[in-house]
């Protein structure tokens, strides 16, 4: 298992590489070109520049998260081949600097969805929160406004203001896209890119839908064991794999995450590990990584990864905002709770490695 940390880049992240390298066990920085919207060309010079910055601090550039997929691909429009060609070009360029895994998602319109970016916990910390009834009674635009207002000037992949300014047109484009149609469009995309991934030795790792249920009538197709099994069968290649996110699958208590890890472990290329506390009314809040603080048994999750001999990349996912850092950090991506999460996850792993029962 190779521990990594998501980093948003020079001038775009208050957490520096010098901060990150003081966290024991972190060997790679998960990166992207966060100013790029879906469908834009990634210039080789920009890619090399980031790879060189990471190398200067002895970090691996092996994982890129958020090479976003253009909506025309998800909708299956005639223009999709143009955008797939650009995506293939990006894969080839990333391979040149040593990228081994690309994390992406196939969620229509919205990426992860929350109703409050700074919901207070009883201990005074705060975290991302999802109020189910509010989403069910809200308009898509009201949710977009809440998210973008909470984010301020911080960039957030999947919530690009330029794209979401055309919200009505996006919903019109997806009005006839059923779950089956979305699966068909995903298959078309994979059939184009996976042969290139095999040539370049770059694995694709799809991120589950967050939350793991349809919202605003939009289909969500990576949200359960059955959906994952269907996805992996679309193109049966080891290069077509998963980013297994415990916090995305976790709000549905029917998802047995340790069992999913054991069943599909050979196709998990990237692991996001975080915890959520799920309330009886369907609301959920992100909490510390500690197993007893939420509904995801993180100890069993790590045991499942250890049992399958997981050799892929892992990172602590969203954490709480601690000690007032919400005043300046990107929602979900503060320093302190994620650093505590790294040490918790590595502590479990070290215990498993030692054979202690």
């Amino acid at each position: 298992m190779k521990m990594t940390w998501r980093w948003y880049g020079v001038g775009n992240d208050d957490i520096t590489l010098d901060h990150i390298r003081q966290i024991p066990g972190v060997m790679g920085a998960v990166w992207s070109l966060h100013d790029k919207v879906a469908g834009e060309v990634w210039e080789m010079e920009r890619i090399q520049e980031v790879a060189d910055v990471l190398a200067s601090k002895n970090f691996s550039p092996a994982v890129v998260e958020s090479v976003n997929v253009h909506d025309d691909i998800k909708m299956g429009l005639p223009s999709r081949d143009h955008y797939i060609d650009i995506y293939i070009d990006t894969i080839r360029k990333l391979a040149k600097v040593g990228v081994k895994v690309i994390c992406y998602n196939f969620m229509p319109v919205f990426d992860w969805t929350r109703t409050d970016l700074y919901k207070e916990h009883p201990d005074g910390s705060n975290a991302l929160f999802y109020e189910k009834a509010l989403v069910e009674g809200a308009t898509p635009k009201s949710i977009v406004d809440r998210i973008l207002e909470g984010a301020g000037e911080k960039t957030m992949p999947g919530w690009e203001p330029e794209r979401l300014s055309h919200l009505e047109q996006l919903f019109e484009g997806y009005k006839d896209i059923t779950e089956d149609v979305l699966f068909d469009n995903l298959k078309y995309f994979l059939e184009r890119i996976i042969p290139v991934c095999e040539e370049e030795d770059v694995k694709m790792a799809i991120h589950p839908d967050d939350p793991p249920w349809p919202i605003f009538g939009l289909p969500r197709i990576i949200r359960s064991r059955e959906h994952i099994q269907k996805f992996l069968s679309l193109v049966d290649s080891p290069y077509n794999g998963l980013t297994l996110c415990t916090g995305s699958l976790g709000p549905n208590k029917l998802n047995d995450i340790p069992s999913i890890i054991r069943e599909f472990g050979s196709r998990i290329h990237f692991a996001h590990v975080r915890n959520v506390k799920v309330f009886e009314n369907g609301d959920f809040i992100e909490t510390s990584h500690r197993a007893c603080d939420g509904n995801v048994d993180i100890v069993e999750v790590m045991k499942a990864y250890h049992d399958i001999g997981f050799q892929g990349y892992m990172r602590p996912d969203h954490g709480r905002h601690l000690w007032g850092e919400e005043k300046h950090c990107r929602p979900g991506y503060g320093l302190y709770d994620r650093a505590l999460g790294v040490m918790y996850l590595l502590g479990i792993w070290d215990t498993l490695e030692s054979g202690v029962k």
Side-chain angles (χ1 to χ4, degrees), residues 211-338:
W213 48 72
I215 58 171
F216 299 119
L218 299 168
R220 309 284 246 187
I221 59 173
I222 311 294
R223 54 189 172 94
S224 68
R225 177 202 167 275
E226 291 72 26
H227 287 85
I228 290 171
Q229 185 178 49
K230 181 174 181 177
F231 160 73
L232 293 175
S233 70
L234 295 178
V235 175
D236 190 11
S237 165
Y239 286 82
N240 176 35
L242 304 168
T243 295
L244 202 290
C245 180
T246 62
S248 296
L249 295 172
N252 182 349
K253 293 181 180 180
L254 297 178
N255 283 330
D256 184 340
I257 298 173
S259 176
I260 290 172
I261 293 169
R262 290 186 171 92
E263 181 173 0
F264 302 114
S266 65
R267 302 284 284 276
I268 300 173
H269 305 316
F270 191 23
H272 289 182
V273 184
R274 60 180 162 95
N275 207 346
V276 291
K277 181 176 178 60
V278 184
F279 300 96
E280 290 301 318
N281 63 357
D283 296 352
F284 63 88
I285 191 168
E286 297 179 1
T287 184
S288 88
H289 286 76
R290 197 174 180 210
C292 62
D293 285 342
N295 290 91
V296 179
D297 191 336
I298 300 297
V299 173
E300 284 301 313
V301 165
M302 295 302 289
K303 187 173 187 299
Y305 278 119
H306 191 266
D307 287 349
I308 66 171
F310 183 63
Q311 297 295 314
Y313 301 90
M314 179 179 290
R315 72 168 176 83
D317 205 2
H318 302 167
R320 300 167 297 153
H321 317 111
L322 304 182
W323 306 313
E325 67 179 339
E326 69 275 5
K327 296 180 181 68
H328 56 80
C329 76
R330 180 173 277 99
Y333 286 98
L335 173 62
Y336 308 119
D337 204 35
R338 286 192 294 155

Side-chain angles (χ1 to χ4, degrees), residues 114-117 119 127-131 279 283-285:
R114 299 292 185 272
T115 57
D116 191 337
L117 302 182
K119 179 75 170 179
L128 302 174
F129 175 71
Y130 182 92
E131 185 178 344
F279 300 96
D283 296 352
F284 63 88
I285 191 168

